Amino acid sequence: MAERAHLVVVGAGPAGLAGALAAAARGVRVTLIDAAEQAGGQIHRRPAADLAAGRPPAPRSRARTWERLLDALDRQRATGNITHLTDHHVWCVERLPGSGGFAVHALRGVAREEGVTVRADAVLLATGGYERVLPFPGWTLPGVVTAGGAQAMLKGQLVLPGRMVVVAGTGPLLLPVAAGLAEAGARVAALVESAGPRALLRKAPVLAGHPGKLAEGARYAARLLRHGVRPLARHSVVEAHGADRLEAVTVAALDEDGRLAPGTARRVPCDALAVGHGMLPHTDLAEALGCTLSGTDVRVDTEQRTDVPGVWAAGEATGIGGADLALAEGHIAGRSIAARLHDAAPDPRAWAAAARARTRLRAFSAALDAVYTPPVDWAGRMRDDTTVCRCEEVTAGQVREAAGTLGAGDARTVKLLTRAGMGWCQGRICGPAVAGLTGCPFTPGRRPFARPVPLGVLAEPLEPPPD
């Protein structure tokens, strides 16, 4: 009997899990690889098992959907259709010459990293996204974290970033972060959102088509009001203050053009700042394989196929859109992969409902992107002594000098002149800031590896994981 076709799914968030389940249900052998100890991604992150704690509360409809997915995963694992490799960090996916297959290379564990290789006939990249960081004076002080980082601390470790927290930036993530912190016992001193009500009203026709999402946002707002938190719309954090750690932040109102309004600055005492300005797709693995990007997103067709044969992508990697969109894209990808691996032409009618949901949710996400944009003058307010690249301790003044005095016309030249982006994160964190300061377009850099790899792993043959 011929061996069943094998799919490797990278990422066990909503997109990866939906894709794995859809493919496994149609006779494909699936290996689901994820860096976390449990499936769920950021949105369904659960406390570490050692804490013996329950899951943080989630919206009722979302919780029901997630429980159904977990039950299906348990059933498929029990039958051997899905192998779930947790705590495995994929650092490279390579095409195998001649066979048309792939080798997925991962590191198992954190304390003692071991090399693991899984071979596959097809790959689904559901690698998610990461937060966009826009520097400002004082952002490197202890106590300043990203909004998603604060949420991960609370969900995964049941830890607060501080007792008195300011949540700031822009985007729909700020509401659940602030509500979660307040209900966990933190005092939310301010919720600072740079977008204003008028921007939302301009997108009302599109947003009104998603009453469930609007109701979810209203519930978060109501929870914040119960804790005495009123959002500061059209405001922005100007500076963080402190000696050894964060002690306060300065916030100011924005005018109609999105610039700081003179005379509106005020100081807010706090010991933690959770700041976020949206998300960017994780595209390292896709780029290393040669997949084409559209801006910062992996380009896919209606089946979620990339332009590299045998490689599909779904979820935030193809454009930031949230869990519901990721589920729809993952389901479409899983069905498409099953059909293609079985040498059958996919029937779009089989995923018609998911395709309709994908279209609506992409329009919704595009509307939110137009509303939740960073203040227009965020780069101009950075003082020259503001650190931009933390890895290499490069300041805004050095980046400006490279672009102005030294004539650097692109991010790569700025990197060569200043070392911005040469450190541990390889420009993932400082890239948007460098682009904003220089006026160069932000384009993800193509890297051979998605994360640092021990030399010993590169030097020795990589063994497959145990059965």
Side-chain angles (χ1 to χ4, degrees):
M1 183 177 178
E3 186 176 356
R4 288 189 297 166
H6 185 203
L7 164 69
V8 167
V9 179
V10 182
L17 191 50
L21 292 171
R26 288 156 184 83
V28 176
R29 182 166 59 96
V30 178
T31 298
L32 178 62
I33 305 179
D34 194 59
E37 295 181 355
Q38 306 174 79
Q42 171 73 339
I43 192 164
H44 295 290
R45 184 187 294 269
R46 291 174 287 176
D50 292 344
L51 297 176
R55 289 184 64 238
R60 191 172 304 170
S61 60
R62 185 168 290 163
R64 286 198 299 266
T65 298
W66 190 243
E67 293 303 327
R68 288 197 296 269
L69 289 170
L70 288 182
D71 289 344
L73 175 61
D74 289 340
R75 291 193 299 270
Q76 294 290 1
R77 290 175 61 188
T79 60
N81 292 330
I82 293 180
T83 300
H84 185 194
L85 301 181
T86 61
D87 197 21
H88 280 63
H89 306 256
V90 176
W91 55 270
C92 180
V93 180
E94 64 172 323
R95 299 179 71 177
L96 297 175
S99 68
F102 300 87
V104 180
H105 303 302
L107 297 174
R108 176 171 48 210
V110 176
R112 181 182 177 184
E113 296 177 320
E114 301 174 89
V116 171
T117 297
V118 182
R119 287 171 172 76
D121 300 299
V123 175
L124 170 57
L125 300 176
T127 46
Y130 64 101
E131 286 190 270
R132 175 167 47 193
V133 176
L134 302 181
F136 52 90
W139 74 287
T140 58
L141 280 169
V144 180
V145 298
T146 64
Q151 187 180 57
M153 291 169 64
L154 181 59
K155 286 184 174 184
Q157 302 297 330
L158 307 181
V159 173
L160 293 172
R163 302 304 303 178
M164 184 177 291
V165 187
V166 171
V167 179
T170 189
L173 178 62
L174 300 188
L175 275 176
V177 169
L181 291 172
E183 294 187 338
R187 180 184 170 190
V188 179
L191 172 56
V192 184
E193 167 59 69
S194 62
R198 289 187 182 179
L200 283 168
L201 288 175
R202 285 194 290 268
K203 297 297 180 179
V206 176
L207 302 180
H210 298 265
K213 289 187 174 292
L214 297 180
E216 183 179 336
R219 286 193 292 270
Y220 285 128
R223 286 160 57 182
L224 285 170
L225 286 175
R226 287 198 296 271
H227 289 276
V229 181
R230 294 181 179 274
L232 291 175
R234 296 201 64 77
H235 279 68
S236 179
V237 168
V238 179
E239 185 172 357
H241 309 279
D244 297 325
R245 64 165 293 112
L246 182 69
E247 298 172 3
V249 297
T250 294
V251 302
L254 301 175
D255 62 20
E256 289 301 317
D257 295 325
R259 303 180 185 278
L260 293 181
T264 63
R266 56 171 162 150
R267 196 177 177 106
V268 180
C270 60
D271 63 359
L273 169 63
V275 60
H277 289 92
M279 304 279 293
L280 293 168
H282 265 305
T283 59
D284 290 346
L285 297 176
E287 289 180 85
L289 278 165
C291 301
T292 300
L293 301 189
S294 294
T296 60
D297 309 335
V298 180
R299 182 186 297 172
V300 292
D301 65 9
T302 57
E303 295 181 35
Q304 299 296 138
R305 292 183 300 175
T306 73
D307 55 355
V308 175
V311 180
W312 281 252
E316 311 288 45
T318 67
I320 305 300
D324 294 336
L325 177 57
L327 285 171
E329 291 186 354
H331 182 78
I332 292 169
R335 282 179 170 267
S336 169
I337 291 166
R340 297 290 179 180
L341 289 180
H342 292 148
D343 294 323
D347 183 358
R349 292 173 298 181
W351 61 68
R356 288 193 296 271
R358 179 178 61 185
T359 299
R360 291 187 300 103
L361 290 165
R362 282 180 176 173
F364 182 81
S365 298
L368 291 184
D369 286 344
V371 170
Y372 294 113
T373 58
V376 294
D377 64 342
W378 67 266
R381 7 168 150 144
M382 259 191 276
R383 297 195 305 258
D384 280 347
D385 62 352
T386 302
T387 298
V388 172
C389 173
R390 298 178 70 165
C391 299
E392 297 294 330
E393 299 181 345
V394 179
T395 65
Q398 291 172 296
V399 173
R400 288 182 176 124
E401 182 184 16
T405 306
L406 301 180
D410 56 75
R412 177 175 173 79
T413 306
V414 172
K415 178 178 180 179
L416 293 173
L417 291 172
T418 67
R419 295 190 60 83
M422 287 191 180
W424 183 269
C425 82
Q426 286 292 289
R428 294 171 180 85
I429 303 301
C430 65
V434 170
L437 284 167
T438 60
C440 303
F442 173 63
T443 53
R446 186 168 179 174
R447 309 174 183 93
F449 301 153
R451 56 158 293 155
V453 185
L455 289 176
V457 171
L458 294 175
E460 297 179 2
L462 299 173
E463 298 297 331
D467 293 333

